Amino acid sequence: MTRRITVGPFNRVEGDLEVRLDLADGVVRSAEVTAPLYRGFEQILRGRSAMDALTLVPRICGICSVSQSMAAVAALRAAGGVRPARNGVLAANLAHAAENAADHLTHFYLFFMPDFARDAYAARRWHPEIAARFKAVQGRAAQAMLPARARLLQIMGLLAGKWPHSLAFQPGGTTCAIDLGERVQLLSIIGDFRDFLERTVFGDNLDNVLAIDSVAGLEAWRDGRGSDFAGFLGIADDLALHQLGRIALPLMSFGAYQGEDAALFAAGVLDPSSAERTSFDPAAITEDVAHAWMRETSLLPMEADTDPDADKPAGYSWCKAPRLAGGPAEVGALARQAVDGDPLIRDCLARFGPCVTTRVVARLRETARLALAMHQWARQLDLAEPFLERGERGCDGTGIGLVEAARGSLGHWIELRGDSIRRYQIIAPTSWNFSPRDRDGVPGPLEQALVGTPVGDAGARAVTIQHVVRSFDPCMVCTAH
C-alpha cells in the first residue's frame, strides 16, 4: 500500500522547503519538491534604473549575495559593452571565491555532518566521537570552524567594504582598490584559510590532497587519518552513502572565476554515464512553469515574464523548472569539478555516479582548489593599476550574466530600454536541482534522487531523506527569489 507523507519544514536549510513523498514497502516511490515562499525580485526590478539591479539583487540572499551581484554585473556588462579593469576581475574572483568557500565550510560543518550525530546512529561505533564533534549547537567542530570562516570573510572588508550586500561590484570592476599593506593582510588571511584546511578539514598538505586522483588513492589516503574529511569518508563507507541520492542527469557548469585566458573551472556539460563532455550552449536553457504557481509565458528566459498565479491547479511550487536542451540537469560543485576534468571526481563518478558521497567529496575538493587559486590571484594584483574602468555604458540592449555560485549555475537575463529594466529573469542553482516536474511530467533532479531512498518505519523522520536533500546544499531563498 502506498502512503503519502510530507517532510518539512527543514531545519538547517537556507529558506523554506517541503518534500512530499509517496512510500511503499519502506521505500520512496515518488517525490514532489515544494518551494512554499514567493518573493518577487523579478517584478521589483521591472521599470527600475539599470544600476538599481546592483543594489537589489544582492538582497536576494544573505549567503550568496556576491554571486547574485556577480551575475547582475555580468549581465549589465554584456548589455552595455563594458570591459572591466583586470584588477577588478581579480578582486571579484577573490571575493567570490571567499564567499563560495565559506559556504562549502558552512554546509559541511553546520548543515550536513550534524545529521550523523542523531540518535538514529547511536549504535554505530563512530557515533560517540561524531556526536561530540558535530552535534548541532554543542559540537566542538563548529567552535573551530566558525572563527576560521569569520577570518576568511574578512577578505570582504578589504575588497568589497562589507558583506553581505556590498555595492563594490560594478560592470567596470570593483570600487575598493587596495594598497601594499592591505595585500599583505589579504595574503595573511588566505594563509590562515589554508592552514585551517590542512590542520582540521584534511589533516594533510593541500598539494597532497589534490594529488589524489582515484577512489583507491582516496581510500588509501584516508586510512588512519584523523581529519574531519577522513571521518566523513569512513561514515560514507559504513552507511553506503554512495547508494543514496543516485541519479544520472547531465552535469552542467557555466564555468567559474574568469581569467585573462580561461576560467579557473571550465564551462561545459558532462554525461555521467558515458563521461562524454560537450560544450555548453546558453541558448539551450528554457524555463517551464507547467507545475509552478506562475502564469504561462515564453520558455526562453530573455523573453519570459514572472507573474504569480497562486490558484493554479497544477502548481505545487513557486520554483520554475529550468531545463537544458529540454531535460533536467544537475548543478553544483560536483558538476563544476566533473566538467573541469578533476581526475578524482571523474573516478568517483565512474564508480558511484552522482550520489551523496560524490557531492560532498567534490565540495571539499573544490574548497582546496580555491585556496590555492586565491593565493595566485592576490599575488597577480597590480597595485599601480586601476580596479575600476569608468567607460561609457550602453543604455539599450540585452545581456546574460552566467556565473557559478557555491550551489551551482546562476544566470541573470536583462533587457534594457532607455537605461531602465524592461525585463529581468533569474535562474538560481537550486531552481535547477529542486525544480518541479515540467510539462512532460519529467521530475527535477532532487525528485529523481529521492526515489528509491529507504525510510523503513521512520517515515518523515528518516535521516536518509535528510542526507539526500542536504547533499545538494539547497538555498531556497535564491530559488524563490
Side-chain angles (χ1 to χ4, degrees), residues 416-467:
L416 301 178
R417 289 290 181 271
D419 210 30
S420 292
I421 298 172
R422 183 171 185 274
R423 183 177 280 117
Y424 206 104
Q425 285 294 322
I426 301 164
I427 301 181
T430 308
S431 302
W432 286 96
N433 288 335
F434 283 26
S435 83
R437 285 161 171 74
D438 57 29
R439 63 188 56 199
D440 296 322
V442 178
L446 176 62
E447 293 180 332
Q448 296 189 33
L450 284 167
V451 173
T453 301
V455 299
D457 297 326
R461 293 177 287 104
V463 71
T464 50
I465 300 298
Q466 304 286 333
H467 297 330

Side-chain angles (χ1 to χ4, degrees), residues 224-441:
R225 197 171 298 278
S227 69
D228 290 333
F229 182 45
F232 160 73
L233 293 173
I235 293 172
D237 275 358
D238 186 49
L239 299 179
L241 296 182
H242 60 278
Q243 296 179 4
L244 284 180
R246 297 187 69 170
I247 49 178
L249 297 172
L251 299 167
M252 181 186 74
S253 171
F254 290 164
Y257 310 110
Q258 297 305 310
E260 290 180 312
D261 300 320
L264 175 65
F265 302 144
V269 180
L270 185 87
D271 181 339
S273 299
S274 66
E276 180 185 2
R277 175 180 148 176
T278 56
S279 59
F280 163 68
D281 178 9
I285 293 177
T286 56
E287 207 172 23
D288 187 295
V289 297
H291 292 281
W293 288 308
M294 299 287 177
R295 294 194 178 97
E296 290 296 328
T297 184
S298 171
L299 292 174
L300 301 177
M302 190 61 81
E303 300 175 1
D305 293 310
T306 298
D307 292 309
D309 182 2
D311 298 321
K312 188 173 181 177
Y316 65 86
S317 178
W318 288 109
C319 178
K320 303 175 189 175
R323 293 294 184 260
L324 179 70
E330 180 176 346
V331 301
L334 172 59
R336 278 193 295 275
Q337 298 309 310
V339 167
D340 196 56
D342 184 293
L344 173 60
I345 301 307
R346 287 288 188 93
D347 196 44
C348 287
L349 286 174
R351 289 278 299 275
F352 309 128
C355 62
V356 170
T357 298
T358 54
R359 292 184 189 108
V360 176
V361 171
R363 199 169 283 121
L364 293 181
R365 177 88 161 184
E366 179 171 276
T367 305
R369 294 186 67 183
L370 287 177
L372 302 188
M374 291 170 71
H375 183 83
Q376 292 182 344
W377 292 329
R379 295 186 65 84
Q380 289 170 1
L381 289 168
D382 184 345
L383 304 186
E385 295 296 320
F387 282 60
L388 180 68
E389 295 292 347
R390 301 182 183 276
E392 291 293 322
R393 181 179 57 79
C395 296
D396 293 281
T398 60
I400 306 174
L402 303 176
V403 302
E404 286 286 320
R407 294 160 184 80
S409 304
L410 169 66
H412 286 201
W413 284 256
I414 191 170
E415 179 182 352
L416 301 178
R417 289 290 181 271
D419 210 30
S420 292
I421 298 172
R422 183 171 185 274
R423 183 177 280 117
Y424 206 104
Q425 285 294 322
I426 301 164
I427 301 181
T430 308
S431 302
W432 286 96
N433 288 335
F434 283 26
S435 83
R437 285 161 171 74
D438 57 29
R439 63 188 56 199
D440 296 322

